[in-house]
Amino acid sequence: MAAAAPYQIGNPLSKVHAEAAEGHKTHATWSPYDDNGGTAVAVAGEDYCLVAGSTRMSTGFNILTRDASMLLQLTDKVVIASAGMQADRKALHKLLQHRNVTYQHNHGRPMSVSATAQLLSNTLYYKRFFPFYTFNLVAGLDEQGRGAVYNYDAVGSYERSGYFCQGSGKELIQPVLDNQLKAASPLLLPPRNSITALPLDQALDLVKDAFVSAGERDIYTGDKVEILIITKDGIRRDELQLKLD
Amino acid sequence: MFRNQYDTDVTTWSPQGRLFQVEYAMEAVKQGSCAVGLKSDTHVVLATLKRSQSELSSFQRKVFKIDDHMGIAIAGLTGDGRSLCKYMRNECINHRYVYESSMPVGRLVRQIADKSQVCTQRSWKRPYGVGLLVAGVDPRGPHLFSSCPSGNYYEYKAIAIGARSQAAKTYLEKHLESFPSATLDELVQHGLRALQSSLSEGELTDANSSVAVVGKDLSFTILEDEAVQPYITALKEDEPMQTEGAAAAEEQREAPAEGAAAAEGGGQAAYEAALREGEGPAPMEAD
């Protein structure tokens, strides 16, 4: 194109227009999203469900806090873990908590895991064109008392599986779990059991080891791991110290 | 004599300066079965008498949880009561969402009153036909309010509304001095005895009584059926005229002791137990 700078004087967009005219794409510099790091893992067992999230919150190469929680305990049997952007996580968790209260008023009982799973999916898709920057896991006990784990993408596509990871360390941990919990893998065809036969204490050790390893290589995973263990007797909390580096 | 001339519209005054439609709406409240409320320095108790249409039907729900710190008992048109209940629940949820704290009780009651008043000043509306007893706790302490179709509301130490509520009020007035320092169990017993005074026939049973309690460290909990049975039993035990023999009375003495202890310490547990057994009270929509 011939004309170099169509609008010259006083127009702040003159550079943008000029470059566009020359065929260069310009991008806005401000993004509504930020990744605050962290990893979340969930494992479903015969009569338990484990869900764990690291507590380091970062932005860029800086640490914002070493003690941020990723987990929302919705009911006695359901926990939601969200990795990604903290602002969207807080907004999403707040919304789900209040939807849960409404559900309890209308149904006279708390939400089941499957109901929560569907609600989360719908809530995420509602913002299909300006998504929540959260990568979610729903964990709990299903109506039969068996462990249930659901994993999501940012816009609500979900699937029940025996185990899953989300967040900055997911590529480090997921293959390890695939290796150790093969039977419950969502990759197998035909689809098998979506729970692992491993007893609770062994699964807990596996998750802890996985986090320690992920903490070594992933700079965004560290400080502590908050673990919630869901059984028919309620929800128990465990904590694992990680390296602070 | 002139009532019929000036009572067609809610927007028509009578020559004596009365709005008959509003007064008729308050009449609907008086037709509902009795609901009693009373408070101590630490707790608020609602005790209600549930009516059933016939032997075949369930008893009509009278008590509704609004939020963890607040609940209501209704007397009058149940449909209107449920509508206000839905509004109150929504307001509480929104308040929590925006302010991350519980809705102050008095403010919500005032909102209800304002809503009710609007219906007394629009020709295309009618007043709500329900009276509410609102029991709640906020940072300032326990509260008991009564709102009515006219848009008036007052805070009370103890109050009764509905059919034959005057008898219940008399009982409450008589024992008023003992309420502030009463324990939760004593407060519930007073509530049930006040309710009993309003009975013209029959007696309180676990099927037709519904009690709700809320306190600073006690989430709003509805006690019905099994959960309220210990209190009913204790009530009967204190009655001067008893048809049962001494042996039966002995049994009853043991049951309330452990039942009351369980009910006292397990406010939240009782609620959850009530929820688990048969999925708690029938969902509102099925009433």
Side-chain angles (χ1 to χ4, degrees):
Chain A
M1 283 277 289
Y7 315 93
Q8 272 285 31
I9 303 151
N11 187 337
L13 286 174
S14 53
K15 188 155 175 243
V16 173
H17 291 170
E19 286 182 20
E22 284 171 39
H24 297 189
K25 247 194 192 162
T26 46
H27 303 275
T29 51
W30 183 82
S31 166
Y33 296 116
D34 187 18
D35 189 352
N36 296 125
T39 310
V41 170
V43 175
E46 200 56 62
D47 58 354
Y48 66 86
C49 198
L50 293 176
V51 58
S54 66
T55 63
R56 173 177 290 174
M57 186 181 147
S58 24
T59 178
F61 287 121
N62 302 312
I63 295 180
L64 288 171
T65 180
R66 299 189 190 275
D67 198 16
S69 173
M70 266 191 210
L71 310 178
L72 171 69
Q73 195 175 316
L74 213 54
T75 73
D76 269 350
K77 295 203 160 53
V78 182
V79 173
I80 304 182
S82 313
M85 184 169 136
Q86 199 233 34
D88 278 356
R89 164 168 63 240
K90 284 227 177 290
L92 179 65
H93 284 189
K94 213 170 168 173
L95 197 61
L96 291 171
Q97 180 70 286
H98 290 106
R99 287 298 301 269
N100 178 41
V101 172
T102 303
Y103 183 100
Q104 294 209 41
H105 278 145
N106 291 336
H107 294 78
R109 62 178 170 83
M111 288 183 79
S112 66
V113 149
S114 48
T116 308
Q118 187 65 53
L119 176 65
L120 176 55
S121 173
N122 294 349
T123 306
L124 293 170
Y125 198 80
Y126 215 72
K127 290 208 357 120
R128 171 68 176 80
F129 300 112
F130 183 13
F132 284 109
Y133 196 89
T134 53
F135 302 97
N136 301 285
L137 294 167
V138 168
L141 298 180
D142 66 12
E143 308 280 83
Q144 280 77 43
R146 304 159 89 215
V149 167
Y150 295 86
N151 57 277
Y152 296 76
D153 68 3
V155 287
S157 163
Y158 78 109
E159 179 192 40
R160 184 172 176 177
S161 48
Y163 58 90
F164 212 78
C165 318
Q166 292 279 28
S168 55
K170 85 179 263 194
E171 289 92 1
L172 294 168
I173 301 184
Q174 188 74 24
V176 173
L177 295 185
D178 281 335
N179 177 275
Q180 295 292 310
L181 304 171
K182 196 167 196 151
S185 169
L187 297 169
L188 286 177
L189 261 157
R192 310 264 180 88
N193 226 354
S194 54
I195 27 181
T196 169
L198 225 54
L200 173 57
D201 50 344
Q202 288 185 37
L204 191 55
D205 282 340
L206 174 61
V207 167
K208 287 181 174 176
D209 284 344
F211 265 98
V212 170
S213 300
E216 290 293 322
R217 290 288 181 180
D218 175 23
I219 59 174
Y220 301 109
T221 302
D223 297 328
K224 281 202 298 282
V225 184
E226 180 190 8
I227 310 170
L228 292 181
I229 302 145
I230 309 161
T231 57
K232 64 169 170 31
D233 302 318
I235 301 188
R236 189 163 57 89
R237 192 173 182 278
D238 197 359
E239 226 175 56
L240 171 68
Q241 267 300 118
L242 293 179
K243 279 158 75 175
L244 304 177
D245 70 354
Chain B
M1 171 164 109
F2 294 111
R3 243 164 104 110
N4 319 51
Q5 285 182 276
Y6 304 104
D7 68 355
T8 314
D9 244 306
V10 73
T11 51
T12 306
W13 288 99
S14 82
Q16 287 76 40
R18 293 156 71 169
L19 289 169
F20 284 122
Q21 277 296 311
V22 177
E23 292 182 27
Y24 294 165
M26 314 228 287
E27 210 47 49
V29 177
K30 291 185 204 146
Q31 297 294 333
S33 65
C34 193
V36 167
L38 61 163
K39 73 174 184 184
S40 69
D41 287 337
T42 51
H43 294 88
V44 194
V45 166
L46 298 171
T48 64
L49 182 67
K50 294 190 286 192
R51 255 190 213 147
S52 85
Q53 286 271 61
S54 70
E55 269 183 35
L56 297 172
S57 84
S58 63
F59 288 90
Q60 184 64 271
R61 271 180 70 182
K62 296 271 287 181
V63 189
F64 299 92
K65 176 171 172 169
I66 301 295
D67 200 346
D68 285 333
H69 68 298
M70 192 190 320
I72 59 172
I74 65 172
L77 263 50
T78 319
D80 286 4
R82 287 217 307 268
S83 171
L84 286 177
C85 174
K86 212 166 167 184
Y87 169 77
M88 290 174 86
R89 284 173 174 171
N90 204 43
E91 288 296 298
C92 278
I93 290 177
N94 282 334
H95 191 276
R96 267 194 202 281
Y97 190 90
V98 175
Y99 300 106
E100 293 268 335
S101 66
S102 54
M103 177 119 207
V105 188
R107 190 180 308 166
L108 186 57
V109 175
R110 202 182 59 234
Q111 277 177 238
I112 294 287
D114 290 345
K115 215 168 137 71
S116 304
Q117 191 280 335
V118 168
C119 297
T120 67
Q121 214 175 4
R122 304 282 183 272
S123 60
W124 61 90
K125 286 184 182 248
R126 64 157 178 84
Y128 284 101
V130 66
L132 303 180
L133 289 183
V134 183
V137 185
D138 62 24
R140 283 161 151 223
H143 295 279
L144 173 65
F145 290 89
S146 172
S147 99
C148 68
S150 62
N152 249 350
Y153 71 99
Y154 288 106
E155 185 161 6
Y156 286 93
K157 298 177 192 172
I159 180 70
I161 57 174
R164 287 177 292 279
S165 55
Q166 189 48 56
K169 274 191 266 196
T170 310
Y171 176 94
L172 293 171
E173 278 167 26
K174 206 157 125 196
H175 293 89
L176 191 55
E177 305 300 310
S178 64
F179 294 163
S181 54
T183 65
L184 180 59
D185 272 354
E186 286 164 2
L187 212 60
V188 174
Q189 289 298 98
H190 278 304
L192 285 173
R193 269 189 229 115
L195 195 62
Q196 202 173 45
S197 335
S198 78
L199 285 173
S200 60
E201 48 159 23
E203 52 175 24
L204 291 183
T205 68
D206 60 345
N208 69 7
S209 325
S210 184
V211 170
V213 295
V214 64
K216 200 157 56 80
D217 300 313
L218 177 61
S219 219
F220 187 87
T221 310
I222 302 180
L223 306 171
E224 278 175 330
D225 304 316
E226 294 92 12
V228 78
Q229 184 56 56
Y231 293 105
I232 304 283
T233 319
L235 199 72
K236 289 213 181 77
E237 184 203 64
D238 287 344
E239 294 239 331
M241 309 283 272
Q242 266 302 48
T243 48
E244 284 98 316
E250 198 57 42
E251 256 172 61
Q252 282 170 354
R253 218 155 311 215
E254 266 153 26
E258 51 180 40
E264 158 86 286
Q268 191 58 34
Y271 184 50
E272 258 135 49
L275 283 180
R276 273 196 293 273
E277 281 143 23
E279 314 228 309
M284 290 205 315
E285 273 63 41
D287 275 350

